[in-house]
Amino acid sequence: MIRKFLRHKMAIIGAIIIGLLVITAIFSPFIAPYPPEEQDLMNRFEPPNFKHPLGTDSYGRDIFSRLVYGTRISLYIGVVAVFVSAAIGITLGIIAGYFGGWIDSLIQGGVDITWAFPAVLAGLTLSALFGSSLTNVMIAVALVYWGRYSRITRGDVLSIREREFVKAAKAAGAGDPRIILKHILPNAIPPAIVVATLMFGDAIAVEATLSFLGMGAQPPTPSWGAMLSYGRDYIRIAPWLSIFPGAAIMIVILGFNLIGDGLRDAIDPKLKY
Amino acid sequence: MLHIAPGDPVVTVVGPTAPKQAYEAAREKLGLDKPIYYQYFKWLSRAAVGDFGRSVALRKSVNSVIAERLPITLQFTSLGILLMYLIGVPVGILSAVKRYSLVDYTLMGVVFIAVSMPSFWLGLILLLIFGVHLGWVPVSGYGTFGLTILPALALAARGAALSARVTRSSMLEVINQDYIRTARAKGLVERVVHYKHALRNALIPVVTLFGMRLGWAVAAGVSLEIVFNRPGVGRLLINSIFARDYSVVQATILVLSVSIMLGNLLADVIYTVVDPRIRYD
């Protein structure tokens, strides 16, 4: 499986991109030439140059440094949102697939509701309710994306449940909790990992969109989406304020998509998600 | 529920410096002195018969505000959704027919980048190129052809890329089926095999994903209205959240959700047309 993944050249490129971004996030203070919120009013709206590789904004803040710190926010949102939705989705998917019956119908009903509902709209509703914050962004992603995991896991569990080793365990007198934890869960995890990598990119895109709309990270937090929203106001005089944060968002999403595709080919080529 | 949010709609009406009597009078007039459950059920019972109340910020009935804004949104989103398929499906077919060639790799490379591009950023880039640099379109507004096609393109890009990928992979899958070999064996021209036998079956997964695309398009549409300064429903929603204009927020979210639901229903109907094997009864 790992060898299959390594043969996938695009996936390697994706892994390198994400690896570099993780390093950037961890070592931000060493990589960024300036503190992200340091203002330099003498050097406002500088186009990219040697001192400021990606230019400066209306307060003279260094765009490159802000982008470097922004990786932390994007990756943090991605990690939390993906893990929370995976935990909820996999649990409910196993319950639905293993027990069936009314509880299955109930969970599937929930999945159907989340399936076509956009996380951004959920995020907007939450901001209208509780005000704007990054926590709301994560809750919105989890509220909508658990269904993706749940659907995949349920399908897997339905087939795993009928396999010999599960029947053997049952015949040997194992109870439901033991069968689920020891036999079902380990087999249901790999396909969910593929969904998780693809969801990472989506979660980061949702954060960027909501922050762009002013409903996520609030200024002066260097969130890429928030930087874009601010750049929109100066698109005539300082286009670099909008170009670079968007490029950063695209690169992260591209990285996760490349890895996700490679993993999908390695783990389960039939998986469509 | 919307009332837990910080901020006060009464201040939106009378202004932050209004005397206490004016504030109380406005509060009573808006019905905000009543308990929340009372307000909610009153809203719900009116909404059920199609009356969404009044907008405190715009001083008009919510119905008329939405009726005004909805066409502006539908205009570019429907064009965008159409382009999604008009661009995506042919690209997918071309890629599948010329599989593992330079054309295929180039198209799939472009597709991969388009999938990863946030649509509001693409919108900004298009605006930068066509609005600021070339000066072909004004930087904001709506109504002209340029200002409809640009947001529509930005909206379509990601969906088109995803449709192209799905079309390609399902075409490749279908091409290896027995009935395609039969069609070839009986001497049909390659073109007929591709378009008559393969495509029809390959389109099924493309239709299945319509519902998800639509939900996504609605969300992307909101951000594109902000990028292009289009006074549609999406911008109305964002402005109303900022202004604490609850009745408008509730109504717009309802309108957007219902349109997603209707779109999914439509997808189910199209599904039975494309694949007669599926029946809902």
Side-chain angles (χ1 to χ4, degrees):
Chain A
M1 202 169 87
I2 292 169
R3 206 179 311 141
K4 225 171 168 183
F5 178 75
L6 288 177
R7 247 187 294 155
H8 210 285
K9 282 195 205 81
M10 302 305 272
I12 303 292
I13 298 175
I16 293 173
I17 295 176
I18 300 306
L20 286 176
L21 282 165
V22 171
I23 293 172
T24 310
I26 296 172
F27 298 105
S28 303
F30 303 101
I31 295 169
Y34 305 88
E37 272 134 47
E38 186 183 84
Q39 302 186 4
D40 178 4
L41 296 173
M42 296 299 285
N43 291 306
R44 302 166 64 213
F45 295 122
E46 289 239 0
N49 56 35
F50 283 113
K51 233 178 117 206
H52 300 282
L54 302 180
T56 62
D57 65 11
S58 66
Y59 297 102
R61 294 177 298 193
D62 181 54
I63 298 297
F64 177 68
S65 304
R66 290 178 68 72
L67 284 183
V68 166
Y69 277 92
T71 22
R72 290 183 163 187
I73 297 169
S74 285
L75 292 181
Y76 170 66
I77 299 287
V79 169
V80 176
V82 163
F83 274 93
V84 173
S85 48
I88 300 173
I90 294 173
T91 312
L92 291 179
I94 289 179
I95 293 175
Y98 189 82
F99 294 106
W102 66 269
I103 194 150
D104 182 25
S105 320
L106 187 74
I107 294 173
Q108 283 308 102
V111 172
D112 286 341
I113 293 173
T114 65
W115 198 250
F117 198 77
V120 169
L121 203 53
L124 290 178
T125 313
L126 286 178
S127 332
L129 287 172
F130 308 112
S132 310
S133 71
L134 283 175
T135 316
N136 284 344
V137 174
M138 292 185 272
I139 297 174
V141 174
L143 269 180
V144 171
Y145 286 163
W146 68 269
R148 310 281 200 273
Y149 298 92
S150 191
R151 180 169 280 192
I152 289 275
T153 309
R154 174 180 176 271
D156 288 332
V157 172
L158 282 180
S159 74
I160 298 168
R161 200 178 56 176
E162 302 305 322
R163 300 262 290 276
E164 311 271 275
F165 59 85
V166 175
K167 288 190 175 145
K170 210 173 249 173
D176 287 336
R178 188 182 161 83
I179 295 179
I180 290 177
L181 286 177
K182 284 256 169 189
H183 302 283
I184 306 261
L185 186 63
N187 286 294
I189 292 279
I193 290 178
V194 178
V195 180
T197 10
L198 294 168
M199 288 287 98
F200 247 107
D202 276 22
I204 289 170
V206 170
E207 187 274 324
T209 310
L210 285 171
S211 294
F212 175 74
L213 295 173
M215 305 291 162
Q218 298 298 310
T221 318
S223 148
W224 295 341
M227 288 172 73
L228 261 171
S229 129
Y230 170 85
R232 164 129 197 12
D233 297 337
Y234 301 101
I235 194 155
R236 276 170 185 284
I237 54 166
W240 56 89
L241 293 183
S242 340
I243 293 173
F244 297 121
I249 298 169
M250 192 185 84
I251 291 168
V252 183
I253 299 176
L254 187 71
F256 280 114
N257 284 347
L258 287 170
I259 298 180
D261 269 26
L263 277 178
R264 175 173 50 195
D265 290 350
I267 292 176
D268 184 0
K270 278 248 144 210
L271 197 71
K272 281 258 166 52
Y273 140 64
Chain B
M1 278 282 269
L2 283 167
H3 299 263
I4 315 163
D8 188 345
V10 182
V11 176
T12 314
V13 178
V14 293
T17 52
K20 202 162 184 291
Q21 291 93 322
Y23 179 91
E24 289 302 331
R27 197 170 134 88
E28 208 181 300
K29 199 171 154 227
L30 293 169
L32 291 172
D33 53 339
K34 306 273 190 330
I36 281 172
Y37 66 88
Y38 178 84
Q39 293 178 36
Y40 178 70
F41 280 108
K42 204 165 168 204
W43 178 82
L44 198 66
S45 60
R46 281 195 184 152
V49 292
D51 175 13
F52 292 108
R54 285 181 72 78
S55 157
V56 285
L58 302 164
R59 291 159 206 251
K60 279 185 198 165
S61 85
V62 176
N63 292 31
S64 70
V65 175
I66 289 186
E68 231 168 71
R69 307 291 189 102
L70 199 57
I72 300 171
T73 298
L74 285 177
Q75 197 191 19
F76 87 98
T77 41
S78 48
L79 182 64
I81 290 170
L82 197 67
L83 285 175
M84 238 178 237
Y85 291 96
L86 285 184
I87 300 171
V89 173
V91 167
I93 296 172
L94 186 65
S95 238
V97 172
K98 308 228 178 257
R99 56 192 168 278
Y100 311 123
S101 69
L102 188 66
V103 178
D104 179 24
Y105 287 129
T106 315
L107 285 177
M108 284 303 115
V110 174
V111 157
F112 223 106
I113 290 171
V115 169
S116 311
M117 210 183 261
S119 46
F120 62 96
W121 184 57
L122 180 60
L124 273 173
I125 299 290
L126 290 176
L127 199 60
L128 192 61
I129 297 172
F130 295 100
V132 179
H133 280 285
L134 297 173
W136 291 357
V137 292
V139 179
S140 71
Y142 72 102
T144 62
F145 177 70
L147 278 172
T148 306
I149 196 83
L150 286 189
L153 271 177
L155 184 75
R158 185 168 182 267
L162 288 167
S163 308
R165 276 176 70 170
V166 176
T167 308
R168 177 181 180 271
S169 66
S170 73
M171 274 285 270
L172 288 182
E173 211 164 282
V174 169
I175 279 172
N176 292 324
Q177 302 282 324
D178 286 342
Y179 59 86
I180 297 295
R181 199 173 311 144
T182 313
R184 285 216 177 99
K186 71 182 186 192
L188 287 181
V189 201
E190 200 65 356
R191 210 165 33 127
V192 179
V193 176
H194 282 145
Y195 297 112
K196 208 165 162 216
H197 294 74
L199 182 61
R200 194 153 170 197
N201 289 289
L203 277 183
I204 295 166
V206 180
V207 176
T208 324
L209 289 172
F210 176 79
M212 274 177 90
R213 296 276 184 285
L214 184 80
W216 176 83
V218 166
V222 174
S223 61
L224 283 168
E225 281 181 13
I226 300 295
V227 170
F228 288 91
N229 254 322
R230 264 180 99 82
V233 179
R235 220 179 78 186
L236 177 69
L237 172 60
I238 301 297
N239 289 343
S240 308
I241 292 177
F242 281 128
R244 307 284 165 221
D245 198 346
Y246 303 138
S247 47
V248 182
V249 174
Q250 283 167 321
T252 37
I253 290 181
L254 190 72
V255 166
L256 294 179
S257 311
V258 167
S259 61
I260 294 171
M261 269 164 49
L262 289 178
N264 276 290
L265 198 67
L266 183 72
D268 285 347
V269 174
I270 299 173
Y271 206 26
T272 54
V273 176
V274 180
D275 189 353
R277 285 170 299 185
I278 295 167
R279 295 234 181 295
Y280 297 100
D281 49 23

